[in-house]
Amino acid sequence: MFKRDVKPIGDLILRNLRSQGLETPLMQKRLIDSWPIVAGEAIARYTTDLTIRNQTLYVRLRVPALRTDLSMRRQEFIGKLNNYVGSQVIADIRFC
């Protein structure tokens, strides 16, 4: 009798995504989608555009007065967003 090399489907999918270079864009999409959950609906209502470039999340605000408040909580948001996704996707957040 021979022993089969059985692996969990999640590991196979993740390995396939890595080999095709799709893991990072997928994690970035999940992080952007998690913004309303992590930041809260009240804050998410005043944000219009979220993009990630060079491990920096750029958040466009409708109300400039929120910039200072959110900038002071930047490290908190970085930690919560990365924890939500389960990987170190961003290292900084810029509020524009």
Side-chain angles (χ1 to χ4, degrees):
M1 235 176 174
F2 63 93
K3 185 177 178 182
R4 292 184 182 187
D5 188 19
V6 179
K7 296 180 182 173
I9 189 78
D11 293 346
L12 295 173
I13 291 172
L14 188 58
R15 187 173 63 187
N16 190 20
L17 287 172
R18 268 191 204 131
S19 69
Q20 294 180 13
L22 298 174
E23 182 183 24
T24 301
L26 177 64
M27 295 296 228
Q28 289 176 349
K29 173 73 171 129
R30 289 167 77 192
L31 186 129
I32 288 173
D33 289 345
S34 69
W35 174 254
I37 297 165
V38 172
E41 288 296 325
I43 294 173
R45 254 183 290 177
Y46 296 108
T47 58
T48 59
D49 188 29
L50 284 84
T51 56
I52 298 176
R53 284 178 295 193
N54 299 329
Q55 289 190 322
T56 301
L57 175 65
Y58 292 90
V59 180
R60 186 171 305 279
L61 300 171
R62 290 182 188 161
V63 180
L66 279 175
R67 186 175 297 129
T68 56
D69 182 43
L70 295 179
S71 292
M72 290 189 305
R73 298 176 56 196
R74 186 172 73 221
Q75 290 298 58
E76 174 189 346
F77 286 129
I78 292 169
K80 285 183 176 181
L81 287 166
N82 284 330
N83 284 338
Y84 190 86
V85 175
S87 179
Q88 179 70 28
V89 178
I90 60 169
D92 195 15
I93 299 177
R94 302 290 170 145
F95 298 100
C96 322

